[in-house]
Amino acid sequence: MADKAKKEEVQVEDTATQNEVATKPQKEVSLKESNPEKFLEEFNWHNYEEGIDPIDDGKLEEFEKLVAENFVDTLDDEVVEGKVVYITDRDAIIDINAKSEGVVSLNEFRYNPDLKVGDKVEVLIDVREDSTGQLILSHRKARTIKAWDRVNAAHDEGTIVNGYVKCRTKGGMIVDVFGIEAFLPGSQIDVKPIRDYDVYVGKTMEFKVVKINHEFKNVVVSHKALIEADIEEQKKEIIGQLEKGQVLEGVVKNITSYGVFVDLGGVDGLVHITDLSWSRINHPNEIVELDQKLNVVILDFDEDKTRIQLGLKQLNPHPWEALGEELKVGDKVKGKVVVIADYGAFIEVAEGVEGLIHVSEMSWSTHLRSAQDFVNVGDEVEAVILTMDKEERKMSLGIKQMTPDPWTDITTKYPVGSRHKGVVRNFTNFGVFVELEEGIDGLIYISDLSWTKKIKHPSEFTNIGDTLEVVVLELDVEGRKLSLGHKQTEENPWDKYEDEFAVGTKHTASIDEVVDKGATIKFNEDIVAFVPSRHLEKEDGSMLKKGDEAEFQIIEFNKEFKKVVASHMVIHKEEEAKIVKEAVKKQATAQDESKTTLGDANAALQALKDKMDGKK
């Protein structure tokens, strides 16, 4: 049995060896081996020297075509389109037909949470081969490059782009356009002023790229530019149809202190504050409010129809036309003070109907004051119609006519010589105005203020508001003038001074002040006398000085001009004069008795004269 098995094993090995020999391929004999002469004859020495083997032209063209269609040149820094082939927890695997697939972090696709396998995305080759041999791509950089290309194209071509308003910033909004943060100025959001910017946050709107700063990579967009383009077309159509007197509907666009701007559908017009209401108003917001729709009438416009003047009050009849025919001059009316000026006050007697009360018609007093002294804005007053012109729409009123004219019985109340008390109301350079009662003023001339004081201006004697006692000096009923006096309320002290300080009377006093050309002396509070320089000479020939006490003689007294002149010199000269006079008299008597010669008499007179002149 063993021998039989061994024999079978040997037979199997022989069979396997035969099969191996039978299946082994036979070596191909080359031309070089089979026919060396022919091989050398056909050998391409050029290809041998260049080191390349010949390739069929057809195969070469097919290979170049496949490369052009499928292979990506990873050396070029260009944006290419790739296909998402796999998504991991952190990355997206992108096929860009390169030697290997690229990797993009999922962080770059946060804006697109719906990214899935099969989506086509734009990428930029960031790293051709990292340390692990991986191709690294960037979707964010690709988006930025493409976005700038699109933004520049939109700016150059003037095309409209969509943008997402991300948030509010100082002076405007931040808008996402193609992944680029662009600035939208507040003035470029809308044609009308924006009061609430937050309502635009989170909205997708259409914009126009108006400015690009390539140096700082800044983009400015405008939504207003798109609106203006539409409005400009509407504006041309509206302007072409404008006519004076035409009534249009508009929307209040802006309110200022001087008027209201109304949007007529792309064209703005101004309603001046005076054209809002027939009545006076302080501010336009008393009549209208923002975004209010209202009808206005076209009053006027310039040649280009760019400045349009509108009116609101003109849509209603003028209030003067509603005045009844029964209202006439002399009637009493009630109204409210709406405006006060220096010359008077305007009273609204009916809505839109005003009358002027001139300040001269506010009081019977001829001494005019300001209108503010009589009325205030908002006061309710009653007045009498003095004049009325419905065509000119003017009315003058008076409130002093509501009381009797105080001058009607002036002669009875204030006869000449009567004494009264009045209040100082005003000063002038020549006197003081004193009010005896409302409507009755009188003037005290400066010369009638004091008997004794020399007054240069009334303010030296009294103050405004003081009460003075007066006497009526003159009365002019037709001229409505009263002449008053204050000093006449007392006796004139100069009447008694006329006797007390008569010429020749002597009084003792001290030199008060030395002045130009003389000195002054005070005899009492009222009498200040002047002493000429030569009359200050004393008996010994010296001159009186300030503070020296001496006896003075009055040599001039004028009650009318309150002038007193005194002299010290005449007192001692008077004694000498008496001696001379007596000597002359004695000499004459002696002459008669002794029949002296003329020469002797002359010698005696000359001796006396020399003595009086102070000669020895």
Side-chain angles (χ1 to χ4, degrees):
M1 291 293 292
D3 293 338
K4 185 178 180 180
K6 188 175 181 180
K7 186 178 182 179
E8 290 179 355
E9 184 177 349
V10 172
Q11 289 177 350
V12 171
E13 287 179 359
D14 292 339
T15 303
T17 302
Q18 292 175 1
N19 291 337
E20 183 179 351
V21 172
T23 56
K24 186 176 180 179
Q26 298 294 320
K27 184 177 179 181
E28 185 178 351
V29 180
S30 65
L31 181 62
K32 178 180 178 181
E33 294 174 343
S34 61
N35 193 349
E37 293 81 2
K38 188 176 180 181
F39 170 76
L40 291 175
E41 214 177 280
E42 296 179 357
F43 186 75
N44 191 331
W45 292 101
H46 173 75
N47 289 343
Y48 174 75
E49 292 175 356
E50 293 294 330
I52 60 174
D53 295 327
I55 301 174
D56 182 69
D57 290 340
K59 290 183 179 181
L60 184 61
E61 289 178 2
E62 183 179 355
F63 177 75
E64 290 177 349
K65 183 178 179 182
L66 289 172
V67 170
E69 291 180 353
N70 299 302
F71 186 68
V72 174
D73 186 2
T74 60
L75 296 178
D76 293 337
D77 196 18
E78 295 179 356
V79 176
V80 297
E81 188 176 66
K83 182 179 180 182
V84 179
V85 295
Y86 188 73
I87 297 177
T88 69
D89 293 339
R90 298 176 58 186
D91 303 311
I93 310 302
I94 311 295
D95 180 12
I96 60 170
N97 291 330
K99 290 188 297 182
S100 63
E101 284 127 357
V103 178
V104 178
S105 173
L106 286 179
N107 288 334
E108 298 189 21
F109 293 99
R110 281 183 297 179
Y111 76 95
N112 184 12
D114 299 326
L115 183 70
K116 60 185 182 299
V117 173
D119 287 350
K120 291 184 178 181
V121 294
E122 292 174 335
V123 292
L124 183 73
I125 298 169
D126 199 5
V127 179
R128 292 191 299 275
E129 193 172 319
D130 64 2
S131 58
T132 62
Q134 182 65 56
L135 176 66
I136 306 300
L137 306 176
S138 174
H139 177 60
R140 182 184 294 111
K141 292 181 180 180
R143 285 186 73 210
T144 301
I145 293 174
K146 282 295 184 180
W148 275 105
D149 292 342
R150 292 170 185 168
V151 166
N152 280 292
H155 178 260
D156 296 339
E157 299 171 7
T159 54
I160 298 172
V161 298
N162 287 326
Y164 175 77
V165 181
K166 296 177 64 176
C167 62
R168 180 178 177 177
T169 188
K170 183 179 179 180
M173 316 288 286
I174 298 298
V175 180
D176 186 328
V177 178
F178 302 135
I180 295 176
E181 288 190 347
F183 177 60
L184 171 64
S187 61
Q188 297 297 316
I189 297 176
D190 205 336
V191 291
K192 61 183 180 181
I194 302 301
R195 293 184 290 278
D196 185 9
Y197 285 64
D198 294 332
V199 298
Y200 293 93
V201 176
K203 287 187 176 181
T204 299
M205 303 168 61
E206 291 184 335
F207 299 99
K208 190 173 182 180
V209 180
V210 294
K211 185 178 180 181
I212 297 178
N213 188 320
H214 293 279
E215 182 179 357
F216 298 101
K217 297 295 184 182
N218 291 335
V219 179
V220 180
V221 295
S222 171
H223 180 67
K224 175 182 175 181
L226 302 178
I227 302 175
E228 285 179 336
D230 295 335
I231 288 177
E232 195 61 32
E233 295 298 324
Q234 299 176 13
K235 189 174 180 179
K236 291 179 181 178
E237 183 178 352
I238 294 172
I239 286 178
Q241 300 174 356
L242 289 182
E243 294 180 4
K244 292 182 181 180
Q246 186 179 12
V247 177
L248 299 173
E249 184 183 60
V251 178
V252 177
K253 180 179 179 181
N254 193 19
I255 299 176
T256 67
S257 59
Y258 55 85
V260 176
F261 288 94
V262 178
D263 184 359
L264 302 176
V267 181
D268 289 347
L270 173 64
V271 183
H272 195 268
I273 187 172
T274 56
D275 291 316
L276 284 170
S277 172
W278 291 113
S279 300
R280 289 180 184 264
I281 57 174
N282 295 319
H283 197 277
N285 57 21
E286 298 175 17
I287 303 296
V288 298
E289 57 186 21
L290 285 173
D291 299 327
Q292 178 183 348
K293 288 185 179 181
L294 44 77
N295 290 329
V296 289
V297 61
I298 297 176
L299 303 180
D300 201 0
F301 45 74
D302 58 10
E303 293 181 358
D304 299 330
K305 297 182 180 180
T306 55
R307 294 185 179 181
I308 305 170
Q309 182 182 348
L310 306 174
L312 182 64
K313 71 180 184 181
Q314 288 79 3
L315 295 175
N316 300 313
H318 197 288
W320 273 86
E321 298 174 3
L323 285 180
E325 295 292 334
E326 66 278 1
L327 200 63
K328 60 187 183 301
V329 173
D331 288 349
K332 295 180 181 179
V333 292
K334 291 183 179 180
K336 183 173 70 173
V337 179
V338 290
V339 174
I340 294 180
D342 290 336
Y343 54 86
F346 288 92
I347 312 298
E348 187 176 51
V349 298
E351 185 178 356
V353 178
E354 295 178 2
L356 171 64
I357 304 178
H358 194 271
V359 68
S360 62
E361 302 298 338
M362 292 183 174
S363 170
W364 288 109
S365 175
T366 55
H367 171 57
L368 298 182
R369 286 172 277 171
S370 174
Q372 287 90 338
D373 296 334
F374 299 96
V375 293
N376 297 309
V377 173
D379 288 351
E380 294 285 344
V381 298
E382 189 174 12
V384 175
I385 299 177
L386 304 180
T387 63
M388 185 169 61
D389 188 340
K390 289 188 176 181
E391 292 184 1
E392 294 292 329
R393 294 170 178 170
K394 291 182 179 180
M395 181 188 300
S396 63
L397 307 172
I399 55 176
K400 72 180 184 181
Q401 289 78 7
M402 299 297 296
T403 58
D405 184 354
W407 282 82
T408 53
D409 57 350
I410 190 71
T411 55
T412 304
K413 295 174 65 176
Y414 301 101
V416 174
S418 59
R419 297 166 70 105
H420 308 275
K421 287 185 178 181
V423 179
V424 177
R425 291 300 185 192
N426 197 12
F427 290 149
T428 66
N429 290 330
F430 52 84
V432 180
F433 282 101
V434 176
E435 185 181 59
L436 300 180
E437 64 172 87
E438 180 69 29
I440 303 295
D441 291 345
L443 174 65
I444 304 176
Y445 282 99
I446 196 169
S447 59
D448 288 320
L449 287 172
S450 174
W451 290 111
T452 57
K453 293 182 180 179
K454 292 182 180 180
I455 302 170
K456 295 181 180 180
H457 191 273
S459 59
E460 300 173 8
F461 183 81
T462 185
N463 298 308
I464 292 177
D466 288 352
T467 300
L468 289 181
E469 192 172 358
V470 296
V471 173
V472 179
L473 303 180
E474 294 180 12
L475 176 60
D476 182 0
V477 179
E478 293 184 0
R480 302 172 79 92
K481 292 180 180 179
L482 271 177
S483 179
L484 306 175
H486 173 67
K487 71 181 184 180
Q488 288 79 3
T489 60
E490 301 174 351
E491 291 184 6
N492 187 355
W494 285 82
D495 290 340
K496 65 177 182 178
Y497 293 152
E498 190 174 18
D499 296 330
E500 184 180 349
F501 295 92
V503 175
T505 57
K506 296 177 181 179
H507 308 272
T508 300
S510 299
I511 300 295
D512 186 48
E513 292 288 344
V514 176
V515 296
D516 189 27
K517 297 183 180 180
T520 60
I521 53 177
K522 292 182 68 174
F523 291 125
N524 57 36
E525 290 297 323
D526 298 328
I527 302 297
V528 177
F530 175 69
V531 182
S533 296
R534 67 187 183 89
H535 287 276
L536 292 171
E537 183 182 348
K538 294 190 289 186
E539 190 173 2
D540 61 0
S542 62
M543 306 299 288
L544 291 171
K545 299 178 180 178
K546 182 177 180 179
D548 290 349
E549 186 177 40
E551 190 177 19
F552 296 90
Q553 181 175 315
I554 306 300
I555 60 177
E556 183 180 351
F557 184 90
N558 189 316
K559 181 175 72 172
E560 182 180 356
F561 295 102
K562 299 178 179 61
K563 182 180 179 183
V564 179
V565 182
S567 172
H568 172 68
M569 181 190 69
V570 297
I571 291 178
H572 58 80
K573 292 293 183 181
E574 187 180 43
E575 294 297 328
E576 294 179 358
K578 285 181 180 180
I579 296 172
V580 171
K581 194 173 182 180
E582 289 177 359
V584 170
K585 187 177 181 181
K586 289 179 180 180
Q587 184 67 30
T589 303
Q591 186 178 3
D592 291 340
E593 292 178 353
S594 62
K595 295 181 181 181
T596 57
T597 63
L598 180 60
D600 293 336
N602 288 338
L605 288 172
Q606 184 63 43
L608 288 172
K609 183 178 181 183
D610 291 343
K611 184 180 179 180
M612 291 179 64
D613 292 337
K615 296 179 181 179
K616 294 182 179 179

